Amino acid sequence: MFRDAELPKEARRDLESGDYLFGRGACDMKGGDAVFLVLAKHLAEQAEKLHGNLLLLFNPVEETLHRGIIEELPLLRKLQEQHNLTFRLAINNDFICPMYAGDTTRYVYTGAVGKLLPMFYIIGRETHVAQCFEGFSPDLTAAELTRIIDRNPDFCDGYNGEYTLPSTVLKMQDLKPHYNVQTPRTAAVYFNYFVHNRQLTEIMAQLKNTARTALNNVMQSADERYRTYCEISGNRYSSLSEKTQVIDYRELCPRAREPAFLR
């Protein structure tokens, strides 16, 4: 099947060499399992040289809300109490990747990287497609947020000369449940945001400023396009500029508790 498939030239070269192993899982978590099994066998054969204990744990779920390690924490605490253990070091043999094309180095990562999952919920104004300039597009706002943030080095966090990878979009969609000729009212987009040392208050300020910029860009673009449309169609032009706002969840909660908000 692979021989008849359209493959990138690097993958084609590996396939034709006969020396290959396809599959992200095989080179990611399953590869990590294999390495730990080999090391466990090696250490078990010379356990008398160890000064302490090794606990080998295979995590079955990583990318789905990290349920694997979360559900294993009670077991770790139980073993710690039963055997009077003090955990000194954790080795996570997970994903490694080349730093550049053709890189064959096998890296060992030390320390840790934090991860945030900032989400933007965008409320626009729906309209009929025959009156498209009367609405405000949450989809276009989500797209503009993605354009600004996705793989932008401004969203890298540095510490002692080491930098995280920039933020990357993980999901973007409007929340319209079915087809009709009305434009969407709401949309959502969220990003992976790696952190070394940047404070959460600084990150929130950065993201809120980015949201304001995205809204202003969308508003300005819509106004310019409406002006051009009026020029070519002969319609009377009036500015589309209007007030927008950006609030975070902490600001939203008190408002949501007010009776006037529910009305």
Side-chain angles (χ1 to χ4, degrees), residues 120-125 135-150 169 171-174 184-191 207-222 225 244-246:
F120 297 87
Y121 176 69
I122 306 149
I123 302 175
R125 184 172 57 249
F136 188 89
S137 173
D139 288 36
L140 194 56
T141 307
E144 180 64 8
L145 281 166
T146 301
R147 186 193 69 81
I148 296 173
I149 296 175
D150 188 66
V169 64
K171 187 173 180 64
M172 178 177 67
Q173 69 176 60
D174 65 52
R185 180 173 182 269
T186 58
V189 56
Y190 58 84
F191 300 86
L207 293 171
K208 290 176 74 173
N209 285 334
T210 302
R212 295 186 187 98
T213 299
L215 286 169
N216 290 337
N217 289 351
V218 169
M219 184 69 68
Q220 181 178 346
S221 175
R225 291 177 178 182
T244 61
Q245 65 173 334
V246 177

Side-chain angles (χ1 to χ4, degrees), residues 102-162:
D103 184 14
T104 58
T105 303
R106 298 294 181 260
Y107 296 95
V108 174
Y109 297 97
T110 59
V113 62
K115 172 183 174 176
L116 301 175
L117 199 68
M119 186 193 79
F120 297 87
Y121 176 69
I122 306 149
I123 302 175
R125 184 172 57 249
E126 67 272 34
T127 184
H128 191 280
V129 293
Q131 299 167 292
C132 59
F133 286 108
E134 295 183 11
F136 188 89
S137 173
D139 288 36
L140 194 56
T141 307
E144 180 64 8
L145 281 166
T146 301
R147 186 193 69 81
I148 296 173
I149 296 175
D150 188 66
R151 289 173 283 188
N152 184 345
D154 290 343
F155 292 84
C156 295
D157 184 17
Y159 182 70
N160 284 346
E162 182 177 336

